[in-house]
C-alpha cells in the first residue's frame, strides 16, 4: 500500500497500488463505463450532485457527465425500472439504481415479467442490456423494510443474472462486465461493505468475468461457500479454525447466475465437506439450491451432510441484539463447520 | 400545457388519408372476422383477444408514423400490430405457436415482438407498457433521433400505479411519447364507471401537466387529427401527449366471454355504428374511391389473410431444443 487514490475517475496505468473503498470502486466503474460508451447512462433516485446519492456512489458523476446521463428520477420504482427496460431494448445500456433491495418489490413487474423475459419471449430478437444496482443488508439498524437479501427471488427467475461482489476490485470488475453484458443483471451491493472494505483496484477498464468464482482462502478440510459480506465472516472463522487444525477453504461465488457450477463442485470435491453461508433467510434460500446441487453430484464423496447457515426465519429486527442474532454470525458458522468433524 | 384539447370532427382531411385509414382498418376487420370464424370451427386454438370495433384508432395513427417509429401494445393488440406493419404470416404463426412466428412461437399472442416493423413490445400485463414506452422514447431522445413512441392501452390500465408513474416521468422528462388510451368502456368484465373515478381519462393528464386530446376514436378525422398533433409534438421536442380515444369492444374479453355485463341496447347501438363499414360508405359517398377500388383492396387483403393462415398452419412447432435457447 503506497498511495491513497484521490480521484475516482483516475485511469492512470501506473503500477502503484490504488486502495479504494467499495464506494469508490463502484463510482469508478460507473465513470469508466460512461466514459468508454456513450450509450451507458444512469437513472435513479437522488443520484445527482452535490450529494451523489445517499451513499455517495455517484459523487462527481452528474457534474462530469451531466444530468442527461446521470438522471435523477422521482421516487417511482416502476417508472425507473420500466424506463430502464425500454431504453435497453431500444439501444442504450442503462444502469438503474433501485435505492434499496426491498424496493425491488415495488418494481418487480417490470423486472420479473419484462426485463427477465423479453429476450426469451421474443425468440432472441430483443436484447435487454440493463443493470439494476441496489444495496441492502442487515447490520445497519434499518429494520425490516430496508435490509432484506432477496437474491433467491431473483435466482428463481429465469432470465436474470445476479451478481453480489465482496471486494472493491470485484465490485468494479464485475460491475463493468455487467454494464457491457447483453442481459439484465441485478447487481447487489451490501452497504455494510461500502466503507469497511478497502483494497487494491486496478485502474481503467478492468473487468471480472461473470460466472467465475474466486477462492478467497485456500484450504483442504472443508469448503465454506459464500458471497457478499459473508465471505469476510467466513474468512474470519477460517482463520480461527486454523488454530485448531481445521484448514477451511473459502470460496466467493461472486455471481449466483450464471453459477460457476464446475468451480463449486471441484472445490467441494477437494475437501469433501461443504458449509454454505448466506445472509438471506435460510428457508428457500439460494443455499438450498447449492446444497441440493452438491448433494446430487457428490453424494458418494462427501464426508458429511452439506450444512447451511443463513439468516433467521424472521423479518430483520431493529433492536441491535436481535439484529446481530438474526445474522449468520461467526458463532453459528463455526458451529456448523465443527459439526462436520 | 395542461388543457384537454378538443379536435373538430369537421376538420378538412386529405381524402387519400381517409382511404389509407380504411385500407388498414378493413384488413384488421377482415383478419379478426377470419380468426373468430376459425376459432369457432376449431381451425384455430389458443388465446385470442379481439380488437373488433377498435380498428380506426391504430389505422389513423399509422398515417403519421414512420417505419422507424416505435409502437407498444397489449394482449388485445393485433389491430395495433397489423397497423404497424407486422407481416401477417409471421404474426399468425406466432398466434399459432409455430416456429415461423415473429418470436419463433416462444412469445405467443400476448407477447408479440417484431422490432423490424417497430412493434417493439407487446405486454400481457395491464398497464405495464407505459413505463417501458418511456424508456424507448428516452432512448430515441438520448440518441438524438426523431423517432416517436406510441403506447396503446385500455381504460382499465389507467387505474394501475404504472400509468401514473409513467405519465409523471414522461412529463418531467419531456419524452417523445404518445399515450393512447383506447377507451373501449370495459376493463375485462368491469364497466368504465365501476372501476374509474375520473369522468374521463384525460382529466388525469391535468395532474401531470400533460397535453391531452379526448376524441371519438371511431371517427377517422378526429382520431387522425389528434394523432397528427400528438406525433408532431413528440417529434419536434414538444413532449408527451395523452390521447383518450373512445371506442367500443364488439366481442367479449375472450371468445368464451358471454358478455352478460354489456347492455344489449348499448351493444346494438355500437354495432349499428360499426366504424369500418361507416368509413367505407363515406369513401363511396364522397367519391374518394369507387366500389371497384375498394373491392380490389379487400380482395388483396383476403388473399394476404388466407395466405397468412395457410403459412401459419404449415409452419411446424419449434424444435424442442428451443426450450433452452434465448436465455442467460
Amino acid at each position: 500500500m503506497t498511495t491513497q487514490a484521490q480521484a475516482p475517475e483516475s485511469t492512470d496505468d501506473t503500477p502503484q497500488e490504488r486502495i479504494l473503498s467499495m464506494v469508490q470502486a463502484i463510482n469508478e466503474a460507473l465513470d469508466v463505463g460512461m466514459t468508454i460508451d456513450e450509450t451507458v447512462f444512469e437513472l435513479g433516485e437522488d443520484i445527482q450532485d452535490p450529494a451523489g446519492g445517499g451513499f455517495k456512489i455517484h459523487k462527481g458523476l452528474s457534474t462530469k457527465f451531466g444530468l442527461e446521463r446521470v438522471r435523477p428520477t422521482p421516487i417511482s420504482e416502476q417508472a425507473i425500472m420500466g424506463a430502464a427496460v425500454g431504453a435497453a431494448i431500444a439501444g442504450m445500456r442503462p444502469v438503474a439504481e433501485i435505492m434499496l433491495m426491498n424496493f425491488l418489490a415495488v418494481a418487480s413487474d417490470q423486472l420479473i415479467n419484462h426485463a427477465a423475459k423479453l429476450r426469451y419471449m421474443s425468440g432472441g430478437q430483443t436484447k435487454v442490456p440493463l443493470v439494476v444496482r441496489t444495496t441492502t443488508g442487515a447490520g445497519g439498524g434499518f429494520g425490516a423494510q430496508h435490509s432484506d437479501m432477496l437474491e433467491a427471488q431473483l435466482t428463481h427467475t429465469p432470465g436474470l443474472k445476479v451478481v453480489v461482489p465482496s471486494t472493491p476490485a470485484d465490485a468494479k470488475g464485475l460491475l463493468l462486465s455487467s454494464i457491457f453484458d447483453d442481459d439484465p443483471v441485478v447487481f447487489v451491493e451490501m452497504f455494510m461493505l461500502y466503507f469497511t472494505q478497502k483494497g487494491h483496484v486496478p485502474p481503467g477498464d478492468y473487468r471480472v468475468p461473470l460466472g467465475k468464482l474466486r477462492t478467497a482462502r485456500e484450504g483442504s478440510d472443508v469448503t465454506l461457500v459464500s458471497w457478499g459480506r459473508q465471505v469476510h465472516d467466513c474468512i474470519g472463522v477460517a482463520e480461527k479454525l486454523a488454530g485448531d487444525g481445521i484448514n477451511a477453504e473459502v470460496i466467493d461465488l461472486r455471481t449466483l447466475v450464471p453459477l460457476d457450477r464446475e468451480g463449486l463442485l471441484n472445490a467441494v470435491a477437494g475437501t469433501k465437506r461443504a458449509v454454505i453461508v448466506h445472509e438471506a433467510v435460510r428457508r428457500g434460500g439460494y443455499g438450498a439450491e447449492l446444497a441440493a446441487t452438491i448433494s446430487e453430484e457428490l453424494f458418494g464423496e462427501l464426508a458429511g451432510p452439506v450444512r447451511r447457515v443463513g439468516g433467521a426465519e424472521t423479518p430483520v429486527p431493529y433492536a441491535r441484539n436481535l439484529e446481530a442474532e438474526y445474522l449468520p454470525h461467526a458463532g453459528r458458522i463455526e458451529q456448523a463447520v465443527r459439526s462436520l468433524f | 400545457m395542461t388543457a384537454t384539447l378538443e379536435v373538430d370532427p369537421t376538420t378538412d382531411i386529405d381524402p387519400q388519408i381517409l382511404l389509407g385509414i380504411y385500407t388498414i382498418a378493413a384488413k384488421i376487420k377482415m383478419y379478426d372476422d377470419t380468426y373468430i370464424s376459425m376459432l369457432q370451427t376449431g381451425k384455430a386454438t389458443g388465446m385470442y383477444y379481439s380488437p373488433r370495433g377498435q380498428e380506426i384508432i391504430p389505422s389513423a395513427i399509422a398515417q403519421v408514423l414512420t417505419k422507424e417509429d416505435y409502437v407498444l401494445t397489449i394482449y388485445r393488440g393485433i389491430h395495433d400490430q397489423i397497423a404497424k406493419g407486422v407481416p401477417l404470416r409471421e404474426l399468425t404463426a406466432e398466434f399459432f405457436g409455430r416456429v415461423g412466428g415473429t418470436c419463433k412461437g416462444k412469445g405467443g399472442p400476448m407477447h408479440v415482438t417484431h422490432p423490424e416493423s417497430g412493434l417493439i413490445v407487446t405486454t400481457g400485463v395491464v398497464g405495464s407498457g407505459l413505463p417501458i414506452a418511456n424508456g424507448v422514447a428516452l432512448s430515441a431522445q438520448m440518441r438524438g433521433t426523431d423517432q416517436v413512441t406510441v403506447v396503446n392501452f385500455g381504460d382499465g390500465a389507467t387505474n394501475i400505479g404504472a400509468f401514473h408513474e409513467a405519465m409523471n416521468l414522461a412529463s418531467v422528462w419531456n419524452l417523445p411519447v404518445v399515450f393512447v388510451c383506447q377507451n373501449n368502456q370495459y376493463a375485462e368484465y368491469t364497466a368504465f364507471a365501476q372501476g374509474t373515478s375520473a369522468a374521463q381519462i384525460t382529466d388525469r393528464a391535468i395532474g401531470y401537466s400533460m397535453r391531452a386530446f379526448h376524441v371519438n376514436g371511431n371517427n377517422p378525422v378526429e382520431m387522425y387529427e389528434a394523432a397528427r398533433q400528438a406525433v408532431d409534438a413528440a417529434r419536434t421536442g414538444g413532449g408527451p401527449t395523452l390521447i383518450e380515444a373512445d371506442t367500443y369492444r364488439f366481442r367479449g374479453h375472450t371468445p368464451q366471454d358471454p358478455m352478460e355485463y354489456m347492455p344489449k341496447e348499448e351493444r346494438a347501438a355500437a354495432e349499428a355504428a360499426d366504424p369500418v363499414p361507416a368509413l367505407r360508405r363515406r369513401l363511396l359517398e364522397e367519391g374518394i374511391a369507387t366500389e371497384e377500388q375498394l373491392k380490389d383492396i379487400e380482395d388483396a387483403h383476403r388473399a394476404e389473410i388466407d395466405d397468412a393462415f395457410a403459412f401459419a398452419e404449415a409452419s411446424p412447432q419449434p424444435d424442442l431444443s428451443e426450450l433452452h435457447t434465448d436465455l442467460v
Side-chain angles (χ1 to χ4, degrees), chain A residues 38-41 43-44 68-69 71-92 106 109-110 113-114 116 118-126 157-161 181 183-184 257-258, chain B residues 70 72 94 102-104 106-108 111 113-116 120-143 160-162 165-166 168-169 172-173 175 322-328:
Chain A
E38 62 182 16
T39 67
V40 177
F41 74 100
L43 68 168
E68 284 295 301
R69 294 184 67 195
R71 307 179 74 92
T73 65
I75 299 175
S76 303
E77 280 81 10
Q78 294 186 71
I80 295 167
M81 193 72 80
V85 171
I89 65 177
M92 305 295 284
V106 181
D109 171 49
Q110 291 296 332
N113 288 323
H114 300 284
L118 282 172
R119 172 143 86 93
Y120 191 84
M121 292 195 306
S122 68
Q125 296 174 91
T126 302
T157 302
L160 297 176
K161 293 178 177 173
D181 193 277
D183 288 308
V257 181
Chain B
Y70 296 110
L72 292 85
E94 191 61 31
T102 53
C103 309
K104 300 188 289 190
K106 295 174 73 170
H111 311 111
T113 294
H114 196 254
E116 211 180 310
I120 190 162
V121 166
T122 301
T123 72
V125 182
V126 168
S128 62
L130 288 88
I132 300 175
N134 277 346
V136 173
L138 174 63
S139 169
Q141 189 184 62
M142 292 186 75
R143 287 183 285 111
I160 91 157
E165 291 196 17
N168 182 59
L169 192 68
V172 169
W173 285 357
L175 294 173
E322 285 290 346
L323 178 64
H324 295 288
T325 65
D326 309 318
L327 199 62
V328 301

Side-chain angles (χ1 to χ4, degrees), chain B residues 217-230:
Chain B
N218 289 357
N219 179 310
V221 177
E222 281 189 61
M223 190 60 227
Y224 169 79
E225 194 56 27
R228 187 185 67 75
Q229 291 186 37

Side-chain angles (χ1 to χ4, degrees), chain A residues 182-219:
Chain A
D182 282 342
D183 288 308
V185 179
V186 183
F187 194 87
V188 184
E189 299 157 15
M190 299 183 77
F191 55 65
M192 295 300 284
L193 302 179
Y194 270 162
F195 301 101
T196 59
Q197 290 303 311
K198 292 187 163 73
H200 173 67
V201 176
D205 184 8
Y206 168 67
R207 301 192 196 182
V208 172
L210 307 184
K212 291 284 172 203
L213 63 73
R214 175 178 73 93
T215 301
R217 184 185 190 278
E218 304 276 355

Side-chain angles (χ1 to χ4, degrees), chain B residues 75 77 80 123 148 150 191 229 243-244 248 254 266 269 302 315:
Chain B
Y75 57 84
D80 299 321
T123 72
V148 173
V150 172
Q229 291 186 37
I243 297 175
E244 179 179 8
Y248 197 82
T254 65
E266 181 188 278
R302 181 78 269 146
S315 178

